Amino acid sequence: ARRLVCWLAVGEDVRPGAALQPAAFKSDYKPIWCPGCGDFSVLSAFTKAFATVGRKPEEVAVVSGIGCSSRIPAYLTSYGFHGVHGRALAAATGLKVARPDLTVVVAGGDGDGYSIGGNHFLHACRRNVDMTYIVMDNHVYGMTKGQASPTTEPDWDNKLSPGGTGVRAFNPLVIALAAGANFVARAFSGDPNGTADLIAQGIRHPGFSFIEVLSPCVTFRPEQREWKQQVHPANVGPTDDAARAARRIMTDDGMNIGVLYAGQRTPYPVGGREAKCDVATLEAEFEL
């Protein structure tokens, strides 16, 4: 995990005492998502949230896997690591445990996070390491031409699954709560300021924070443009009662926006233990 940090690309420095602005977190690379993609707004929310939290770019690491949403680290000046499909949470966990001084945020999508990465998702919630996982959910594999994803409705008719898959959709918020996530929320990309506020809350909340961001894929799911009229604030405030949160999530319409659960579990302990050997000694043991 220590060596992982050496592979990251650090962003620009910020003068001591200078007020942080979202622009300080924007890299020179231009996003290449499809016109109208919700991920543009989520990227804006990332920069606003980091500025709100007040950590400098070199104090933040954004880890991603594979998919449209996983391009986000390249568009930021913070540390960034683009991992392999479904493994972003594993890499991020190792990084946070090795470097607890960093604010670690994971960016992903519903395919990357809930399909090949589903096992890592469960255990990241269970371990409760202090990091934040933001999943841009559009109910489709956008990068690979529109296949059904784990969160796709079973009756969604398309060329690749005529008549729909017939498979029940994955409910990430319920799974996150049951597996032990300490903070569970839902945002909408069409509200970048609200999304930024939820991301900042997730970063500040101790333990593993999970935020689902409804981020329309207007290329393969143009009907998702209607989400703008369908999303609405949750009609009750957040709770630290897991049972109450479970009832709320299981009975909502999937369009409630806001913090649904803010728990009080103690985060996984990181740091504070002396290393029994250094990296050079470990490397020597594996020399042929």
Side-chain angles (χ1 to χ4, degrees):
R2 283 185 176 179
R3 285 199 173 268
L4 175 65
V5 182
C6 298
W7 304 335
L8 306 175
V10 70
E12 64 187 57
D13 192 15
V14 175
R15 290 170 300 162
L20 286 170
Q21 299 297 324
F25 293 91
K26 296 179 181 178
S27 77
D28 294 330
Y29 292 101
K30 302 301 181 184
I32 58 172
W33 293 306
C34 299
C37 176
D39 293 356
F40 285 101
S41 295
V42 181
L43 173 61
S44 175
F46 265 73
T47 62
K48 292 176 180 177
F50 293 154
T52 298
V53 171
R55 301 218 70 189
K56 294 182 288 187
E58 62 267 29
E59 297 172 334
V60 177
V62 180
V63 182
S64 70
I66 299 296
C68 299
S69 55
S70 294
R71 297 179 182 275
I72 276 186
Y75 306 140
L76 298 169
T77 58
S78 60
Y79 283 109
F81 184 80
H82 196 175
V84 296
H85 203 192
R87 307 296 184 256
L89 285 170
T93 299
L95 174 58
K96 182 63 181 182
V97 172
R99 288 288 305 276
D101 56 303
L102 291 175
T103 292
V104 177
V105 177
V106 185
D110 45 301
D112 179 62
Y114 309 144
S115 184
I116 192 170
N119 187 53
H120 291 300
F121 177 51
L122 292 173
H123 294 290
C125 295
R126 183 174 68 90
R127 291 189 183 98
N128 201 31
V129 173
D130 187 19
M131 58 187 190
T132 304
Y133 187 30
I134 294 133
V135 177
M136 284 142 270
D137 193 349
N138 52 24
H139 303 182
V140 70
Y141 281 96
M143 179 173 279
T144 49
K145 310 306 180 186
Q147 301 97 322
S149 82
T151 54
T152 300
E153 301 85 340
D155 59 351
W156 181 58
D157 186 31
N158 63 91
K159 293 180 180 179
L160 297 172
S161 302
T165 63
V167 179
R168 179 176 177 175
F170 186 83
N171 192 327
L173 278 73
V174 170
I175 298 299
L177 182 66
N182 210 33
F183 179 94
V184 178
R186 184 189 286 124
F188 173 53
S189 65
D191 177 18
N193 290 332
T195 301
D197 178 62
L198 286 176
I199 293 174
Q201 288 186 55
I203 291 172
R204 288 169 170 160
H205 194 84
F208 185 80
S209 296
F210 169 65
I211 302 170
E212 175 189 61
V213 182
L214 299 174
S215 183
C217 175
V218 298
T219 298
F220 294 107
R221 305 272 329 240
E223 70 275 14
Q224 291 176 350
R225 295 179 188 273
E226 298 176 6
W227 282 358
K228 187 174 182 179
Q229 285 74 45
Q230 295 171 355
V231 296
H232 52 88
N235 57 6
V236 291
T239 179
D240 61 359
D241 184 329
R244 181 178 297 175
R247 287 193 296 271
R248 178 191 302 174
I249 295 170
M250 287 293 291
T251 57
D252 83 359
D253 60 0
M255 293 290 164
N256 275 307
I257 304 302
V259 179
L260 301 170
Y261 175 73
Q264 301 179 26
R265 288 182 63 208
T266 301
Y268 180 87
V270 296
R273 291 176 289 184
E274 288 189 22
K276 295 183 179 180
C277 63
D278 57 24
V279 175
T281 302
L282 286 174
E283 290 178 336
E285 293 181 4
F286 289 93
E287 289 181 356
L288 297 178

